[in-house]
Amino acid sequence: MFDARIIANEVLTRAWNEGLELTQIDVQKILYFLHGHHLTEYGQALVKSEFEAWEFGPVQRSVYDEFKQYGDEPITELAQKFDPVKRITAPLPKLTDNAAISTIEQHLYRYLEIPSFTLVDITHSPGTPWSRTIEAAKSRVNVGMRIKDDLILSYFEGLQTA
């Protein structure tokens, strides 16, 4: 499992190499889909923090906090880590895990072709982990509106992958 910002940086770097610009919504949704595929294919989470059910779909809070200054504009810089002792930012490590890289290589480019709000619509469809989390919150408390990995796994297990 990885810091979501490391996976976001890998997604951004690969998109930029293809001449594409990504916004916060693009990165968030792509992270979510990659995480779901990784759960299904490797039986383990791609990112270590849970996704949260926000208005526009699943969100990784650390990625949101890192890129919120861009609003709905394209992200132009990679995420960094903050060293609280030295009080400076520094680059996050590069992704070197073969399984994580394989998941990204197998699935990323399909999602890069889908417009932002189509990705949002997909996550909002009835029966998705996001919609089930939102619906469940109407009758029981879910602090942080966390979308559980077992819910994501059960959903992605039912999808056909190309």
Side-chain angles (χ1 to χ4, degrees):
M1 293 189 291
F2 301 93
D3 182 317
R5 297 170 304 169
I6 292 172
I7 304 300
N9 282 350
E10 185 70 20
V11 166
L12 285 165
T13 299
R14 288 171 181 262
W16 294 338
N17 288 343
E18 297 293 320
L20 301 172
E21 295 179 327
L22 298 181
T23 65
Q24 171 90 242
I25 283 185
D26 297 316
V27 172
Q28 293 287 356
K29 299 314 150 255
I30 290 169
L31 279 175
Y32 168 75
F33 289 119
L34 292 175
H35 181 74
H37 290 299
H38 197 77
L39 280 169
T40 302
E41 294 160 14
Y42 293 97
Q44 61 186 7
L46 181 60
V47 297
K48 59 185 171 186
S49 51
E50 290 180 306
F51 284 85
E52 299 175 13
W54 286 21
E55 179 182 0
F56 292 110
V59 170
Q60 280 288 320
R61 185 174 293 277
S62 64
V63 174
Y64 173 80
D65 289 342
E66 185 70 28
F67 297 125
K68 65 185 172 190
Q69 74 268 18
Y70 293 100
D72 61 359
E73 296 296 316
I75 297 168
T76 59
E77 294 182 17
L78 295 175
Q80 295 197 28
K81 63 182 177 179
F82 180 71
D83 182 334
V85 175
K86 296 179 182 176
R87 301 181 67 169
I88 59 169
T89 58
L92 285 157
K94 300 234 359 126
L95 184 65
T96 58
D97 180 80
N98 288 336
I101 290 169
S102 176
T103 295
I104 292 167
E105 287 177 348
Q106 184 175 356
H107 300 286
L108 173 63
Y109 300 98
R110 162 182 357 157
Y111 294 112
L112 288 174
E113 295 176 358
I114 301 173
S116 302
F117 280 94
T118 301
L119 293 173
V120 171
D121 290 343
I122 293 168
T123 63
H124 282 63
S125 298
T128 62
W130 177 88
S131 67
R132 291 176 61 188
T133 300
I134 293 294
E135 193 60 35
K138 294 176 182 175
S139 62
R140 67 177 179 263
V141 175
N142 179 349
V143 177
M145 295 296 289
R146 307 276 192 232
I147 304 173
K148 300 295 182 190
D149 277 348
D150 60 345
L151 191 58
I152 297 171
L153 176 60
S154 67
Y155 178 76
F156 274 82
E157 282 177 328
L159 295 178
Q160 292 182 351
T161 56

